[in-house]
Amino acid sequence: MVHLGHNKYNKHMKLPEETDYLIVGCGLFGSVLAERISCKLKKKVTIIDKRNHIGGNCYSTIDQETGIEYHQYGTHIFHTNSQEVFRYVSQFTQFNGYYHQVLTTHKNKVYQLPINLETINSFFNVNLKPFEVKAFIEKKVKAIPQPKNLEEKAISLVGEELYEAFIKGYTQKQWNKDPKELPATIINRLPVRFNYDESYFNNGRYQGIPKEGYTAIFQQMLDHPLITTILECDYFEIKDSITVKEKTIYTGPIDRYFEFQLGRLDWRSIRLERKIESVEDYQGTSVMNYADLKDKQTRIHEPRHLHPERSYQKEKTLLFYEYSESNINEPFYPINDDKNKELYRKYKELAMKEKNTLFGGRLGTYSYYDMDQVIAQALKVFDSLKA
Ligand code: UDP
């Protein structure tokens, strides 16, 4: 296993006086473009990040006490249906065959997610067959022709009892908002199935965890003689000290770029609390959700399950309790309610006028993207640069 240091990148690297492309942010969007531009266009790229590591929120590292690799910003499962994206990312890693499954705890009992026939049978203590369940749920569902918010959408899909048990409390904890104030689209991420298919992702044709962890992918992408990577480097402090001959690619929060001149966009963040338990396996799965408000954490991550192919120590296991936070300094998730969507639209108008800067990634486009969507977006932007 490769241990991933950052010897090559640090804040003492000298900022070049000029570059063809300046990329702000060493996350997926920035790193994919750095790799493509250096390899294919043979242009000089300077990529910077204000954090002290590459990889953005995908960053993975080894816990010193247990030797277990974990994802510092919450569990990331790579999944996609796109052959193009899978082929691209497979140049930099093999995947370990991990298949994502999520469970949820409600009233001290564990259920399968996404809501499927097993969840329904177990929750209502029935034994329905796939051809019976639709009629059963339809009796519970309230017909709402055009659901205006997450609550209405969820009730129109699964009815009030399942909504109250598995969605309401979790969503409230996760977003720190009443589900009535949240857009219906968020729930589209969570499918409902009338069979025993418990795979978490609808678009999970290709899925897994990179064999050597996520950080190794970024090391490979950025390992090119035309790329200079500088960490602990704040764009707003250096932007006047470097001449950019072609374009700046900005992947930070879009409102920050424009100095919050139209106001601040709202973001949701998470806080992860590390815990060690003296057992080999604490919860039997990599992610356990907690549906009830009385449990303060939204979920518990147990990263050893992400790498079943590795032989980790048996004496201890590593856990992370996840709590939601609104921390504008660590933006993770955009809050896509009407107010924020409208504000983003205005920032986007400003962004369109910036002829020498391209905006991308979750933060740069205020979008709740999965990793594969960010890669697809970056590859598309690269095609337009080439053209
Ligand atoms: N969700 C829920 N109960 C769960 C898991 C998810 O109600 O146990 C809903 C919730 O509204 C959440 C959305 O589905 O915001 C997306 O959840 P997901 O687990 O995909 O979020 P992510 O992994 O991106 O944080």
Side-chain angles (χ1 to χ4, degrees):
M1 197 187 311
V2 194
H3 184 74
L4 307 158
H6 317 293
N7 308 336
K8 263 181 70 188
Y9 332 106
N10 63 58
K11 61 180 168 184
H12 305 300
M13 289 278 295
K14 205 168 160 302
L15 187 74
E17 275 169 25
E18 59 170 45
T19 187
D20 294 321
Y21 287 85
L22 174 64
I23 302 185
V24 183
C26 295
L28 258 184
F29 189 84
S31 300
V32 168
L33 278 167
E35 186 278 327
R36 291 284 84 183
I37 291 168
S38 58
C39 270
K40 299 287 172 199
L41 302 184
K42 311 277 181 240
K43 297 278 187 181
K44 215 172 128 187
V45 174
T46 303
I47 180 165
I48 63 172
D49 204 295
K50 68 176 185 169
R51 285 180 174 161
N52 64 1
H53 61 72
I54 56 173
N57 277 11
C58 302
Y59 177 68
S60 64
T61 189
I62 308 278
D63 177 68
Q64 292 306 307
E65 186 178 346
T66 57
I68 296 171
E69 178 143 16
Y70 68 97
H71 305 159
Q72 187 160 313
Y73 303 93
T75 304
H76 280 64
I77 318 293
F78 183 80
H79 62 97
T80 188
N81 278 353
S82 158
Q83 200 179 42
E84 187 199 357
V85 168
F86 187 68
R87 274 206 190 127
Y88 173 76
V89 79
S90 297
Q91 296 175 72
F92 312 102
T93 188
Q94 286 185 324
F95 287 90
N96 68 352
Y98 171 88
Y99 193 74
H100 196 43
Q101 185 201 358
V102 174
L103 298 159
T104 186
T105 303
H106 166 61
K107 292 195 175 160
N108 212 25
K109 186 168 157 46
V110 174
Y111 296 88
Q112 284 185 358
L113 276 188
I115 294 172
N116 65 55
L117 188 51
E118 211 294 316
T119 325
I120 294 167
N121 278 340
S122 171
F123 181 74
F124 291 107
N125 202 15
V126 288
N127 188 14
L128 300 166
K129 297 271 179 285
F131 56 86
E132 296 166 328
V133 63
K134 199 162 173 240
F136 178 83
I137 291 292
E138 266 167 13
K139 276 192 218 135
K140 301 189 171 290
V141 156
K142 221 194 260 166
I144 305 172
Q146 276 179 332
K148 287 190 296 297
N149 55 52
L150 197 153
E151 177 165 302
E152 288 188 4
K153 176 79 189 231
I155 292 175
S156 73
L157 280 174
V158 294
E160 263 179 56
E161 289 148 289
L162 290 167
Y163 166 70
E164 297 272 339
F166 299 117
I167 298 172
K168 191 175 180 183
Y170 183 90
T171 304
Q172 169 106 35
K173 279 192 288 186
Q174 209 185 32
W175 296 92
N176 204 10
K177 272 184 194 284
D178 189 315
K180 285 194 207 73
E181 294 168 29
L182 287 165
T185 47
I186 293 180
I187 205 74
N188 294 344
R189 293 174 64 82
L190 195 70
V192 177
R193 304 208 184 96
F194 293 152
N195 56 28
Y196 288 115
D197 178 0
E198 44 153 353
S199 50
Y200 196 61
F201 305 117
N202 266 344
N203 58 340
R205 186 160 144 216
Y206 307 99
Q207 61 176 293
I209 303 292
K211 268 195 170 162
E212 305 294 345
Y214 283 97
T215 307
I217 301 182
F218 292 87
Q219 286 187 322
Q220 292 230 19
M221 282 180 175
L222 300 179
D223 185 17
H224 192 282
L226 286 171
I227 302 180
T228 305
T229 307
I230 308 177
L231 297 176
E232 295 180 73
C233 176
D234 186 337
Y235 170 65
F236 300 97
E237 283 168 20
I238 60 97
K239 64 182 175 138
D240 298 326
S241 324
I242 182 166
T243 305
V244 180
K245 295 202 304 207
E246 302 270 351
K247 278 196 191 312
T248 296
I249 296 168
Y250 176 85
T251 73
I254 187 166
D255 53 350
R256 170 70 184 96
Y257 181 91
F258 293 106
E259 291 168 355
F260 309 112
Q261 59 179 271
L262 305 173
R264 278 181 182 265
L265 288 163
D266 294 323
W267 302 90
R268 182 171 80 73
S269 189
I270 61 168
R271 173 168 56 86
L272 293 165
E273 251 177 48
R274 178 180 175 278
K275 252 191 160 184
I276 299 288
E277 291 286 348
S278 300
V279 292
E280 182 182 357
D281 186 353
Y282 180 74
Q283 62 180 17
T285 191
S286 60
V287 182
M288 174 69 76
N289 289 5
Y290 283 82
D292 303 334
L293 283 175
K294 76 166 181 43
D295 300 305
K296 296 290 172 239
Q297 71 276 7
T298 45
R299 38 192 173 189
I300 300 180
H301 304 259
E302 187 171 19
R304 75 178 311 130
H305 296 290
L306 298 173
H307 286 283
E309 78 284 9
R310 294 186 189 174
S311 41
Y312 286 132
Q313 62 153 292
K314 297 187 189 320
E315 291 72 34
K316 287 178 192 170
T317 193
L318 174 68
L319 302 175
F320 289 95
Y321 284 61
E322 178 179 324
Y323 302 92
S324 248
E325 274 197 347
S326 43
N327 177 352
I328 48 170
N329 298 318
E330 284 284 5
F332 278 44
Y333 298 86
I335 311 265
N336 278 314
D337 58 8
D338 291 345
K339 179 189 110 198
N340 283 289
K341 272 200 265 187
E342 178 54 18
L343 185 54
Y344 170 62
R345 198 189 55 72
K346 290 185 183 148
Y347 275 120
K348 197 172 163 192
E349 274 174 13
L350 291 183
M352 310 270 270
K353 292 186 194 139
E354 295 284 294
K355 292 292 169 239
N356 294 321
T357 305
L358 293 170
F359 295 79
R362 255 196 194 197
L363 308 184
T365 57
Y366 200 65
S367 306
Y368 190 173
Y369 280 144
D370 286 332
M371 289 180 281
D372 63 324
Q373 294 170 303
V374 176
I375 295 172
Q377 189 198 39
L379 294 176
K380 205 168 144 203
V381 167
F382 177 68
D383 282 343
S384 67
L385 283 179
K386 245 184 355 189

